[in-house]
């Protein structure tokens, strides 16, 4: 049973555009929702995270939107840059464990 | 200064061999993890240790045996390596799961 579903699998965006990646979860016990960014040959790095008591969190060009009733959350990358090209993972955490989505490969074309 | 360090970075070995991957974190975190990332980049948890105590053991073959000598170290020993074990193995640590993980840079294991 896949507890965190992530889409799309891959995404191509023009420089300056908005990149949107979506995730849906099933387990209402999850209480922390981080996003990770992974460049080739590197480990995933924590990018931004949100708790379910807020609907939006913004850090620079990165925003998480959270819809608790729909059990969905999304990552928006504004003014996407070629340097944002990476694989992005959403995750949903409960005490002691994080479950990751399957990842989205983002390519930002110059 | 590396927060979570893994060694080796690359490991090429023959089927049937036994190998170990070492992980150390200098963040003072209580919990450490091993994740497997396959060729499709899927990240799957294998083990989780909290203060040297095993707390998560997902459905991993018993050829994989983690060992945590202290809360700063979590090693992974793999017996009788199989072709399907080829993947990138990531060590990670966290103070608790609701603060996010710090990952190491990974160990690319290739079984030939």
């Amino acid at each position: 049973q896949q507890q965190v579903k992530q889409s799309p699998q891959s995404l191509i965006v023009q420089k300056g555009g908005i990149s949107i990646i979506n995730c849906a979860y099933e387990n209402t016990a999850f209480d922390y929702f981080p996003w990770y960014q992974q460049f080739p040959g590197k480990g995933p790095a924590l990018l931004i995270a949100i708790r379910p008591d807020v609907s939006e969190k913004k850090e620079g060009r990165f925003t998480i939107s959270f819809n608790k009733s729909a059990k969905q959350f999304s990552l928006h990358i504004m003014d996407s840059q070629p340097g944002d090209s990476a694989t992005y993972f959403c995750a949903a955490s409960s005490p002691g464990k994080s479950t990751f989505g399957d990842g989205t490969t983002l390519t930002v074309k110059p | 200064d590396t927060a979570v360090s893994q060694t080796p970075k690359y490991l090429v070995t023959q089927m049937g061999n036994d190998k170990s991957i070492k992980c150390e974190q200098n963040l003072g975190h209580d919990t450490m993890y091993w994740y497997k990332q396959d060729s499709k980049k899927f990240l799957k948890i294998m083990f989780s240790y909290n203060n040297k105590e095993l707390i998560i053991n997902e459905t991993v073959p018993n050829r994989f045996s983690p060992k945590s000598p202290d809360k700063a170290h979590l090693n992974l020993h793999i017996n009788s390596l199989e072709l399907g074990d080829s993947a990138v193995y990531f060590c990670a640590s966290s103070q608790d799961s609701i603060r996010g993980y710090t990952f190491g840079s990974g160990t690319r294991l290739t079984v030939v």
Side-chain angles (χ1 to χ4, degrees):
Chain A
Q1 182 186 12
Q2 188 175 14
Q3 294 195 47
V4 180
K5 294 182 180 179
Q6 183 172 345
S7 62
Q9 187 175 7
S10 61
L11 181 61
I12 300 174
V13 173
Q14 289 294 128
K15 178 182 175 181
I18 302 174
S19 304
I20 302 174
I21 305 170
N22 300 300
C23 282
Y25 64 97
E26 298 169 3
N27 187 346
T28 56
F30 291 137
D31 55 9
Y32 179 73
F33 301 88
W35 285 88
Y36 292 84
Q37 180 187 55
Q38 184 180 24
F39 293 107
K42 304 290 187 183
L46 182 64
L47 184 62
I48 186 173
I50 197 168
R51 298 191 191 283
D53 52 348
V54 297
S55 60
E56 185 175 285
K57 183 173 182 180
K58 183 176 181 179
E59 290 184 1
R61 296 183 294 109
F62 300 90
T63 300
I64 300 177
S65 297
F66 187 82
N67 185 330
K68 188 174 181 177
S69 60
K71 293 190 282 187
Q72 295 175 346
F73 58 111
S74 60
L75 176 69
H76 296 235
I77 307 174
M78 311 300 287
D79 187 26
S80 298
Q81 299 295 312
D84 297 331
S85 298
T87 300
Y88 293 81
F89 294 92
C90 64
S93 301
S94 55
K97 185 177 178 180
S98 285
T99 300
F100 285 80
D102 287 344
T104 296
T105 301
L106 171 65
T107 302
V108 181
K109 290 192 173 292
Chain B
D1 283 280
T2 304
V4 179
S5 59
Q6 294 179 230
T7 54
K9 188 168 178 64
Y10 300 98
L11 190 50
V12 181
T13 187
Q14 291 188 325
M15 280 174 45
N17 284 351
D18 303 339
K19 290 294 178 185
S20 292
I21 306 172
K22 295 186 176 182
C23 179
E24 176 181 4
Q25 56 97 2
N26 62 5
L27 298 167
H29 289 168
D30 288 334
T31 307
M32 296 185 72
Y33 311 83
W34 278 111
Y35 274 82
K36 179 180 180 180
Q37 187 171 48
D38 62 21
S39 58
K40 295 184 179 179
K41 299 186 181 177
F42 298 155
L43 273 168
K44 299 299 181 190
I45 190 166
M46 300 173 68
F47 303 102
S48 169
Y49 270 75
N50 182 275
N51 262 320
K52 304 192 298 177
E53 186 176 333
L54 179 66
I55 57 174
I56 291 177
N57 182 348
E58 292 292 303
T59 49
V60 177
N62 57 15
R63 298 182 294 104
F64 291 79
S65 53
K67 281 191 173 52
S68 182
D70 55 61
K71 79 171 194 176
H73 296 83
L74 180 61
N75 304 322
L76 183 65
H77 187 76
I78 315 169
N79 290 327
S80 303
L81 278 155
E82 301 177 355
L83 293 176
D85 297 331
S86 296
V88 181
Y89 292 84
F90 285 102
C91 177
S93 73
S94 68
Q95 185 53 37
D96 52 59
S97 63
I98 62 169
R99 299 190 202 184
Y101 294 178
T102 301
F103 282 85
S105 57
T107 295
R108 181 174 293 278
L109 172 65
T110 304
V111 182
V112 296

